[in-house]
Amino acid sequence: MKMNKFYVVGTPIGNLEDITYRAVRILGEVDLILCEDTRVTRNLLERYQIKTPTMSYHAQSKISKAEKIIELINEGKNLALVSDAGTPTISDPGSLLVSQIKQSCPEVEIIVIPGPSAIISALSISGISVAEFTFLGFLPHKKGRETLFKEIAVSERLMCFYESPHRIIKTLESLIKFAPDKKVIIARELTKIYEQVVSGSPEEILSYFNSNPDKIRGEFVVMVSNR
Ligand code: SAM
């Protein structure tokens, strides 16, 4: 009996050339691509002339959407899951769906097609030895936020998280308050035209962004280490 397949496919975090041959082939071969945002994935598919139909699957998708997906799998369809950028399920939707498929369709092969992830890309050019690190995803906006900064302050490990341009200043202010002696490395807009890595004390980095407001844009990975 032929087993059908569910692929979790890594896609670029900016530069559309950062995709594997295998990812391009699989995205072209499956029956349907589940996208966090079909309009975003459309750019990638057009770049590689991939004509596979798409369907949205995102953080707000209802249970009925997962049921529909499971129905398609039961009909024998091969599906691929992608997010807007990077590796699905890493601070992105998909893990619940993967677990529902594992439960409802244990015979389906769930296959990873590895690709970029912002956290790993940032670490690789941080210049810090990363034998061990802690990845916090996005920090909570309210509840638990202060506790986390206190943990960052006392941690011996490299602490990493994702941040948006709207919150980066607030986050640097919190680092000044709770962890002023740490070293902060910010990797911004990786693989894009304005890719940048800046490092210094929380105070130095805040002053840099305050003097260069045009740089408070795009996507940020924040890494906090001991000096
Ligand atoms: N699944 C993605 C991954 O594997 O990296 C992460 C998705 S998460 C919703 C988006 C966050 O990842 C952004 O807010 C930013 O913090 C980080 N990010 C994504 N692309 C980036 C890039 N090109 N440069 C720096 N950070 C990036």
Side-chain angles (χ1 to χ4, degrees):
M1 198 180 91
K2 202 172 137 228
M3 282 205 287
N4 56 330
K5 300 186 169 64
F6 184 87
Y7 296 96
V8 177
V9 182
T11 59
I13 56 168
N15 188 322
L16 291 187
E17 289 183 7
D18 294 331
I19 187 161
T20 66
Y21 290 116
R22 188 173 174 224
V24 171
R25 177 174 63 77
I26 294 296
L27 291 177
E29 283 177 5
V30 291
D31 298 299
L32 182 69
I33 304 171
L34 305 172
C35 311
E36 189 182 1
D37 183 335
T38 51
R39 290 160 305 178
V40 173
T41 302
R42 185 60 45 210
N43 287 334
L44 179 71
L45 299 183
E46 275 170 11
R47 170 77 169 71
Y48 292 97
Q49 290 153 28
I50 295 169
K51 304 272 191 286
T52 308
T54 57
M55 181 168 101
S56 73
Y57 179 82
H58 47 72
Q60 282 74 43
S61 287
K62 306 237 160 51
I63 277 277
S64 57
K65 187 55 103 40
E67 285 166 0
K68 165 90 189 140
I69 291 166
I70 286 168
E71 225 175 274
L72 290 168
I73 292 173
N74 285 333
E75 285 167 16
K77 300 272 192 284
N78 293 323
L79 308 185
L81 173 72
V82 298
S83 56
D84 286 354
T87 301
T89 82
I90 307 301
S91 295
D92 261 339
S95 40
L96 181 62
L97 180 63
V98 169
S99 115
Q100 284 165 324
I101 294 170
K102 277 176 189 269
Q103 263 193 0
S104 309
C105 320
E107 71 293 350
V108 168
E109 271 188 86
I110 297 180
I111 297 170
V112 64
I113 310 294
S117 189
I119 176 64
I120 300 302
S121 306
L123 287 168
S124 72
I125 54 166
S126 67
I128 298 176
S129 157
V130 284
E132 278 186 66
F133 66 92
T134 298
F135 176 52
L136 302 166
F138 286 102
L139 301 184
H141 289 185
K142 292 205 176 85
K143 197 164 177 281
R145 188 172 165 89
E146 191 168 316
T147 313
L148 218 42
F149 278 107
K150 288 181 181 160
E151 273 176 38
I152 290 171
V154 296
S155 175
E156 291 299 316
R157 286 220 174 92
L158 176 63
M159 302 292 266
C160 313
F161 52 93
Y162 286 160
E163 193 50 279
S164 76
H166 315 290
R167 303 189 68 83
I168 191 73
I169 296 295
K170 196 162 178 266
T171 291
L172 287 166
E173 286 167 353
S174 298
L175 287 170
I176 291 173
K177 179 170 173 198
F178 293 105
D181 299 327
K182 293 274 184 174
K183 179 178 179 186
V184 178
I185 302 109
I186 291 191
R188 181 183 152 257
E189 291 292 82
L190 294 171
T191 78
K192 304 186 197 177
I193 296 172
Y194 298 108
E195 173 171 324
Q196 184 187 28
V197 178
V198 282
S199 62
S201 68
E203 186 134 25
E204 285 165 343
I205 304 281
L206 179 65
S207 136
Y208 171 78
F209 281 117
N210 281 334
S211 326
N212 297 276
D214 57 310
K215 308 275 194 239
I216 312 175
R217 274 200 199 140
E219 312 204 75
F220 295 75
V221 179
V222 182
M223 295 160 277
V224 184
S225 77
N226 287 328
R227 290 200 151 255

